[in-house]
Amino acid sequence: MALLSILKYPDPRLHTVAEPVDEVDEATRCLVGDMAETMYAAPGIGLAATQVDVHKRVIVLDISESKDQLLVLINPEIVASSGQIECEEGCLSVPGIFEKVIRAEEIRVRALDRDGITFDFDASGLLSVCVQHEMDHLEGKVFVDYLSPLKQERIVKKLRKAERLAI
Ligand code: NI
């Protein structure tokens, strides 16, 4: 396994729309392993392949405290959704920025697991928000895209400044 580097907003590659995975093979499982390692090391609770510059529909998540409940979603789809929830979100591609976003409160998700088997599950609360956030990445969308242009501009300035300080 290997740690992958995470693209940082406003990198234009974050706006790439990911392609479906045709076959869940060894290369896919290798990507999943590397993404999980990268997410845990960051540390983060979710990572989409888009964020590591691989434009395939693959997501890893773990919202557990114990960090031992890895959820792998390949070619995920939201097949039903209801309600509304507003949550303060952050993103490994937008370090240090937390903003409120409105999402569906409850969703039913269908995806392939790391063995290529289709499964369904219902998610609410944080898991629901997290799945929707990561699925947005696969559509080339970052959570700051939901904010006003003024807020987006401020975030870009703040991140550029932080980058300069880091050098
Ligand atoms: Ni994110």
Side-chain angles (χ1 to χ4, degrees):
M1 293 210 288
L3 281 182
L4 306 169
S5 67
I6 298 174
L7 298 177
K8 297 292 184 315
Y9 180 83
D11 192 308
R13 289 172 290 181
L14 285 169
H15 299 301
T16 312
V17 178
E19 298 284 337
V21 173
D22 294 329
E23 193 195 344
V24 180
D25 55 13
E26 215 34 61
T28 312
R29 280 185 280 276
C30 184
L31 171 66
V32 164
D34 288 348
M35 284 174 60
E37 192 182 352
T38 304
M39 173 184 74
Y40 287 126
I45 59 171
L47 188 70
T50 309
Q51 292 176 275
V52 293
D53 202 23
V54 176
H55 302 287
K56 291 280 178 192
R57 303 184 89 83
V58 178
I59 288 169
V60 293
L61 300 154
D62 190 342
I63 62 160
S64 70
E65 292 273 324
S66 47
K67 299 289 161 216
D68 57 0
Q69 305 286 318
L70 181 67
L71 184 58
V72 176
L73 305 180
I74 298 168
N75 297 345
E77 285 173 78
I78 293 175
V79 293
S81 66
S82 63
Q84 265 194 0
I85 184 172
E86 190 180 45
C87 205
E88 194 161 79
E89 298 185 18
C91 179
L92 293 174
S93 294
V94 197
I97 306 291
F98 299 90
E99 295 284 349
K100 284 182 176 167
V101 178
I102 296 172
R103 307 266 186 197
E105 188 178 9
E106 292 182 350
I107 54 173
R108 167 155 285 195
V109 184
R110 183 164 301 154
L112 301 178
D113 67 12
R114 61 194 305 166
D115 297 313
I117 309 292
T118 303
F119 70 112
D120 281 42
F121 65 99
D122 292 316
S124 60
L126 178 61
L127 182 59
S128 168
V129 167
C130 200
V131 168
Q132 291 173 78
H133 174 117
E134 301 311 333
M135 283 183 69
D136 270 356
H137 278 301
L138 303 181
E139 297 302 325
K141 198 163 182 178
V142 182
F143 81 103
V144 295
D145 296 340
Y146 290 106
L147 308 174
S148 69
L150 183 65
K151 267 195 174 170
Q152 291 184 30
E153 210 176 290
R154 280 193 196 137
I155 289 169
V156 170
K157 275 189 192 152
K158 202 172 162 184
L159 292 175
R160 292 232 163 97
K161 196 174 168 195
E163 215 170 74
R164 280 201 302 275
L165 291 174
I167 297 165

